[in-house]
Structure formats: C-alpha cells, structure tokens
Amino acid sequence: MVHLTKLFSSSSSSSFQFLSSYMLRFILLLLFVCCKTEGLLKLPPNVSVPAVFVFGDSVVDTGNNNNRTTSFARSNFPPYGRDFQGGIPTGRFSNGKVPSDLIVEELGIKEFLPPYLKPNLQPSDLVTGVCFASGGSGYDPLTSVIEGSIPVSGQLDLFKEYIGKLKGVVGEERAKFILANSLFIVVAGSSDISNTYRTRSLLYDLPSYSDLLLNSASKFLTELNELGARRIAVFSAPPIGCLPFQRTVGGGIEKKCAQRPNNLAQLFNTKLSNLLHSLNRNFPNSRNVFINIYDPLLDIILNYQKYGYKVGDTGCCGTGRIEVAILCNSLDSTCSNVHDYVFWDSFHPTESVYKRLIAPILQKYLYQFK
C-alpha cells in the first residue's frame, strides 16, 4: 500500500513511467479485492455492489466541509468524532461513524467512505466509492447559500469531475460498469425543512414549499440517472419536528415534537415517492428506490426505552437542545455515556442509532436493485 501511494504521489517518478496504464489498473483491482472488508449483509442473488456514492447533507457528510471555513456546518473539531477511530474529529456530524460508513461496511466494500474532497484521496478510493455530501446542503438552493455548503448541483459537478478521474484510473468500460452497478445514496431535505423553510414561509405554504423541494429533487435525480447511475436509493425526510432543536424552538413548554416540520416532511415524502415511480418509467434501466427513514427513526425517538436508550429528546453535547455544528465544540461538556442517548447533538443521531437503522434498511430494500 505504501509503495503504491508513493507511486501515485509523483507522476514524474521513474516507477510511474515504467508501469503501463493496464498494469496500474490491474494493481488497483488487486488492491480492491484484497482490501474489501467482510460484509455483514448477504446480498440478493446476482447482485454485486462494487462501489457506493453518497450525495446530500450533514447526516452523510464524511468531511467535505472541513476546508469551508466560512460555513456554519462544520464538525472537524472536538467533541465530534469522540468515538471515531482514534477519537479524531474528521468532519462527520456524530460521535462516530455516519450512515455513509456503515453502508459500505455492511456491503463489505471498505470500513469508511472517504469524502471526495479529502486532500490525500487515493486512486484506490475512487474505484470503491466516495462521498460528495456537504453538511447544510439541501434540495432548496437557498439552503446551501445560508449554510455556506456545497449545493446538490455542485455535488453533481464534483461527480462529473470524479467520472473523468475514474476513467483515467480503470478505463472507460470498467468505469461504466462501476457506475451502472454501484449504489447511489441520496440523503437531503432535513436542512430545508428544519432551517430554510422559516425564511421561505413568508412566501410559501407547506404544499407550495414541498413542490419547490420536489422540483429541485427531480432535476438532481434526473441528471444523476443521465450520468449513468442505475441504482439510486433516495432517503425520505426524517421526522424533523422530533429532533431536539425543533422540540426546543417549536415544541412548547413540554418540548414535544413540533408538528409543522413533521407535516412538511410527510407531505414532501409522499410526493418524493411518487416522483421516483415516475423516474423509473422515464429510465426503465434504472432503479430509483424510495427509502422510508421517517417511520423507523420516529419509532426509536418516541419509544427510546424499548431500544435500550435513556434519553430521547435531548442530545449528548452541551444542553442537548440547541448545540449543533460549531455550537457543539470543545467548550461544551458531553454526556458520560453516549449509548444512553438517541441524539449526539441537537440534530444528529448517535452512531448507535445509525447502526440500528442502516442494517435493517439495507436488508429491506436491496432486493429492489436487482
């Protein structure tokens, strides 16, 4: 691995000049086979997933915002990453792994999904997938402007750049195979509903704002299909009103789930599911699959004790009611036992909750990508 890294680090080295492009591709394929993790999930017959690509927001961002110093949506500082490998904050918005990592781990591809903007990203990382998601992003273009994040349209631009790099590494035919057989994950809408709608509500009611989100989602997913993606898992909006922050600002004295954000999430989810059926008709060789995250997450939040948690309405960081991103920092205390909590900060679940969600979701929906 070290020698291969050195080989790619200097295109002018004699070793690089000696090896043909075919030999490089052969080495990368060997590296891919040798370095795969042991998958925990049994894939359906005749289904292989060579790589995973992730688009969306902070729920799945693995560090693409680290160098966006003007962005509010960053987490590359303590106490984020407290339980990650080595206790190092990497830009993941949780105490440990996020869904992007858990998905590739469950599929046996690799242990972590690196951010595409990682400074020392290796060619071997390109072959098995990367993350394009950016914390604070959303379907609404205004969301990324407010948060200083990479909009979903910008994430598609990065993906186009990635395709060119992939073809240079493995060749055009292999690149087409990887894109056609890989799993594409889209997780967006939370920041739109939680944050941006408060600004938009003067001009949009719930139905019209859900249409705005849907139109943007349609453009994004249509282009993703046109770029060669064939297995696209689109996650629903979660029960936004039950996140600690929304309970704080809209849940009244008793800090109950805020109904308005939940109503908007449910309305959008219904329309998003219908959109995916339409896309499958327009792209008959593709599988655009709606992933219902709303109901299983809501069950954990409302019935947290059933799952072994002690706290379901506040996060582990600080007071647990408002702290998120740069407001959850080294000046804040954190809970002594994160496994007692559903939420890490006022917006994002703990790694433990993500683990409870991801494996059953993959098991439930993977057969639809045959």
Side-chain angles (χ1 to χ4, degrees), residues 8 11 39 77 104 126 182 207 221 231 293 332:
F8 280 105
S11 61
F77 42 78
V104 292
L126 298 178
S182 294
L221 293 168
R231 295 170 171 173
I293 194 69
D332 292 300

Side-chain angles (χ1 to χ4, degrees), residues 47 52 76 81 98 163-164 166 168 177 185 192 196 220 239 247 266 278 285-286 291 322 328 338 346 349 359:
V47 173
V52 170
N76 56 329
V98 295
I163 293 175
L166 181 65
F177 174 85
I185 307 291
D192 302 318
T196 311
F220 171 82
R247 287 178 183 245
Q266 290 175 307
S278 176
N285 293 324
S286 294
I291 309 296
I322 60 170
C328 173
V338 70
S346 67

Side-chain angles (χ1 to χ4, degrees), residues 19 50 362 364:
L19 289 172
L362 289 175
K364 179 179 180 180

Side-chain angles (χ1 to χ4, degrees), residues 226-265:
E226 291 172 345
L227 288 170
R230 293 295 175 262
R231 295 170 171 173
I232 306 174
V234 185
F235 280 57
S236 71
I240 298 295
C242 295
L243 306 185
F245 180 81
Q246 288 297 327
R247 287 178 183 245
T248 300
V249 300
I253 297 176
E254 297 181 1
K255 302 293 188 290
K256 293 182 177 180
C257 293
Q259 199 57 49
R260 190 173 174 84
N262 278 355
N263 289 343
L264 178 53

Side-chain angles (χ1 to χ4, degrees), residues 315-357:
C316 174
C317 182
T319 66
R321 295 200 175 278
I322 60 170
E323 293 85 356
V324 62
I326 62 173
L327 295 181
C328 173
N329 54 59
S330 59
L331 299 178
D332 292 300
S333 61
T334 55
C335 61
S336 59
N337 187 1
V338 70
H339 296 290
D340 289 340
Y341 285 73
V342 172
F343 291 96
W344 165 247
D345 57 23
S346 67
F347 198 90
H348 305 95
T350 59
E351 178 186 311
S352 171
V353 170
Y354 285 140
K355 284 183 175 179
R356 286 186 181 275
L357 291 168

Side-chain angles (χ1 to χ4, degrees), residues 136-154 192 196 200 204 209 212-217 219:
S137 182
Y139 292 120
D140 186 342
L142 180 60
T143 301
S144 295
V145 174
I146 294 173
E147 301 287 347
S149 59
I150 305 170
V152 290
S153 59
D192 302 318
T196 311
R200 294 281 203 183
Y204 294 86
Y209 188 66
L212 183 152
L213 297 182
L214 192 73
N215 289 335
S216 179
K219 291 177 183 178

